[in-house]
Amino acid sequence: MSMELKPPPSDGWVPTLDDTPFTRMGGEAPVHALAEAFYDVMDAEEPALAAIHELDAEGKVNRGTRQRFGMFLVGWLGGPQHYSATHGHPRLRMRHGHLPVDVGMRDAWLRCMQKAMDKQGITGGLRSFLDDRFAQVADFLRNTEG
């Protein structure tokens, strides 16, 4: 797959070391809220995607998964590296390698994240940047044709 360079978001925002997506979002609490919203959408609207995660007694994506993803997002968005300090390098492809990730699964994941960002009111240049980055990572994790 060839990646083409895209111009900066329409409001001209591009992340810097001092102005990261993490700081734009407002820190750890809003990032963890995004992770919660993401799994809430998944539980409600993408049952096949939710089913590949560890579920709790109510059939929802469990607390541990939600917390790990929140920790990952904090670091990935430019905040403290709690995930790496606790779990080591994310090694996303290795950690997801046992799951068949095809175009349909990728797209379901992206729908959940887009709806979660909508619920969290993420807009403008930050939203443009995150839409692009999440799409890149989701496509990177594909390991099955179709």
Side-chain angles (χ1 to χ4, degrees), residues 2 94 97 104 108 140:
S2 77
M94 184 208 72
F140 171 75

Side-chain angles (χ1 to χ4, degrees), residues 1 14 26 37-38 40-41 46 50-51 53 65 68 71 88 98-99 104-105 120 127 133 135 137 146:
M1 177 176 107
V14 176
F38 169 76
D40 289 346
V41 171
E46 299 287 352
H53 294 80
T65 298
R68 276 190 308 279
M71 285 174 57
H98 68 285
L99 302 167
M105 199 63 69
Q120 297 302 304
R127 176 61 180 262
R133 292 289 292 143
V137 171

